Each structure stands twice: as C-alpha cells, then as structure tokens.
Amino acid sequence: MTSVGAIVGSLTSILSHPFMRNAFLAGTGIAAACGLVGYFVVLRGQVFTGDALSHVAFTGALAALAAGLDLRLGLFGATVAVAAGMGLLGRSGRADDVVIGSVFAWMLGLGVLFLSIYTAGSSGANGTAGVSVLSGSILGRSAGSAQIAAARGVAVCAGMVLIARPLLFASLDEGIAAAAGVPVRALGIGFLALVGVTAAETTQAVGALLLLGLLAAPAAAAHQLTARPFRGMALSMGLAVLAMWAGLVLSYLFSVTPPSFSVVAVATAIYAAAGAGGTVLRGRGTTRRHVTYGPAAVYGAGLAEVDDLA
C-alpha cells in the first residue's frame, strides 16, 4: 500500500503543474496519431518517407523564420505539401526510394540555405527557435497550443479510421485493390498528407531529429506482436501513448533528461522488448500467426470482422 500511495502521490505531483498537464494533453493526441499513422508507414514500407519528412519539417520551419513568419506556417505548409508531392511523383501514390532520396537531398540543401539566412539575420531573442525545431519543446506548450495539438491528433486519427479498410486493402495488394475500384493513387496521396500533418505536429513535440523514433518504433513493435491488422493498429496507438506518458514522467523525475529523448528512448525500448519476445517465442516453436486472408476479404469485411479473418 505504501508503494502504491507513493506512486499515486508522484503522479498527483506531476499533474499539479500546468506545463505538465499541457504536455500530457498535447502528447497524448500526438502519440495516438503517430501510432495509427506509423502502423501503415511500417506496413507499406515507407519508413524512409518519415525520415525525409523530418528534414522537410526543419527546412520549412527555417524558411518561415527566415521570412519573418510564424514557424508553424512553414512547418505544416512545407511538410504537408512535400508529402503530397512525393505521393504524386511516386507510383500509385506511394513514394519510391528515388523520389524520397531526391526530395531528401533537395531539402537538406534548402535547409542549409535557410539556416544560413536565418542565423545571419536572427537576434538573441529568437536565436533558439531553430534549436527547438530540432529537439522539440513539448514542455513549453501553452494550454491553447496543447488543445490544438490534441485536436489535430484526434483529426488525424479520425481520418485514418475513415480510410483504414481501403488503405489496408491497397497496402496488401494494390493491383487487386485497383481492379476492385479502390482509388489506390488518391488513397496513397491522402495518406502521405496525413503523415505530413503528423510529422509536422510531432516535430514540435520531440523534434525533427527524433521524429522517426516515435513514428516507427511503436508501430514496428505492434507488427512484431500481432498479425491482425486492426488489433495491431490499436496496439500501435497504445504503445505510442505509453511511450509518450512514460517519457514525460521520466523527464519530470530526472530533470537532466530532455523529454524528447525520454519519449523516444522508451519507444525504442518497447520495440526492442517486442523483438526479443518474438525471438524467444520462435525459439520455443511458437510463432506469430501470419495473415492468412486475401486482400479482397479485407475490403469486403467490416472493420470489426477483419481480425476474425486471420
């Protein structure tokens, strides 16, 4: 009872601070969006896209700062526009390595240019803004900013739920999906736009350098733990939110640890634990069941019935 009381007391102490309540509110919405979007990023083999968009987010924010604008204009505008553009350039709305690599290199070059312009003209008052884009600043969220971030996360999750079944169909076999009348190209572009929104919002929480960890690690862990798609999506969301909450608690208890590092460290540890657990099970002769249903069965079943097909 003493240990339980101590834990409850610690949590009460953490939530007594407005900045921590704001961080938990914003972080929960952001993490949920990362988990749901990340599940399809891993499923579709587009993890490199998330890495490229982290550089786009940084470059867009620096471009806005260099122009004297709010960095969020460049952050969201550039990330969403480039994400949709990669979908348009790629096959069937799915950016390939050539497109992503070209965009990656181009954005790095632009980032160097805008960084030079910004640092040459920045004053001491705003000189730290570029650093916050790289490392994130979730503990500095105001109540209004936290509410907006949470609302964006909910909106992304709602969008993903709307397209989840046809997107899953297109991800498993885009040829059959296209023959069945699924708008594969439009779905791919729309999905990448949602990835862009998620990347832009997540950059403000954990920074452009660590964005990929929160986007990919919980989702990859979910893929390790279950082959059932909608169960995996829910698990990916739950693991991402767990990583966010645990990371925020750790950063509060150990003030020397930045929250962005703590969040991504927990997410990586979850992935490592999931991988180790899968290795142990395979060593004992117990394997995770593979997807045994066809793509058409996925599209024909209702959301609640898809997992029962496995």
Side-chain angles (χ1 to χ4, degrees):
M1 290 296 293
T2 304
S3 60
V4 174
I7 293 173
V8 172
S10 298
L11 292 177
T12 303
S13 174
I14 291 173
L15 294 177
S16 66
H17 301 288
F19 72 92
M20 289 302 297
R21 291 199 299 270
N22 295 337
F24 271 96
L25 176 60
T28 300
I30 291 169
C34 279
L36 192 50
V37 169
Y39 183 86
F40 281 98
V41 168
V42 174
L43 178 66
R44 293 167 65 86
Q46 293 183 302
V47 174
F48 191 29
T49 304
D51 192 23
L53 289 178
S54 68
H55 292 77
V56 174
F58 179 64
T59 299
L62 284 177
L65 289 172
L69 302 174
D70 189 320
L71 68 85
R72 287 169 294 187
L73 292 176
L75 187 65
F76 281 93
T79 308
V80 175
V82 171
M86 287 194 295
L88 287 170
L89 292 173
R91 178 180 56 85
S92 300
R94 188 184 304 210
D96 55 32
D97 289 345
V98 174
V99 172
I100 297 171
S102 300
V103 170
F104 193 96
W106 180 48
M107 283 297 153
L108 280 177
L110 285 178
V112 172
L113 172 63
F114 291 131
L115 180 61
S116 176
I117 295 173
Y118 172 63
T119 53
S122 64
S123 63
N126 63 5
T128 60
V131 176
S132 70
V133 176
L134 283 174
S135 60
S137 56
I138 194 169
L139 295 183
R141 293 286 185 123
S142 64
S145 174
Q147 291 168 4
I148 292 173
R152 288 197 185 107
V154 171
V156 169
C157 289
M160 288 302 303
V161 169
L162 287 175
I163 67 172
R165 188 157 57 97
L167 183 62
L168 179 61
F169 187 12
S171 300
L172 293 174
D173 194 320
E174 62 185 32
I176 296 177
V182 177
V184 174
R185 184 173 180 80
L187 271 175
I189 295 171
F191 169 67
L192 284 177
L194 289 174
V195 176
V197 173
T198 305
E201 194 61 63
T202 307
T203 296
Q204 299 179 81
V206 300
L209 293 177
L210 300 177
L211 180 157
L212 190 61
L214 188 59
L215 191 66
H223 279 280
Q224 290 274 359
L225 296 173
T226 180
R228 299 191 172 194
F230 292 98
R231 183 178 298 179
M233 293 174 209
L235 181 59
S236 180
M237 288 178 61
L239 293 176
V241 171
L242 174 62
M244 178 63 71
W245 289 355
L248 289 174
V249 171
L250 287 173
S251 67
Y252 177 84
L253 296 176
F254 305 97
S255 57
V256 70
T257 307
S260 53
F261 166 79
S262 299
V263 170
V264 175
V266 173
T268 304
I270 289 172
Y271 171 67
T279 301
V280 171
L281 289 176
R282 286 190 292 271
R284 293 178 178 177
T286 304
T287 58
R288 178 171 60 87
R289 292 179 64 188
H290 295 283
V291 178
T292 56
Y293 48 83
V298 171
Y299 191 58
L303 294 182
E305 299 170 344
V306 171
D307 281 349
D308 294 333
L309 293 173

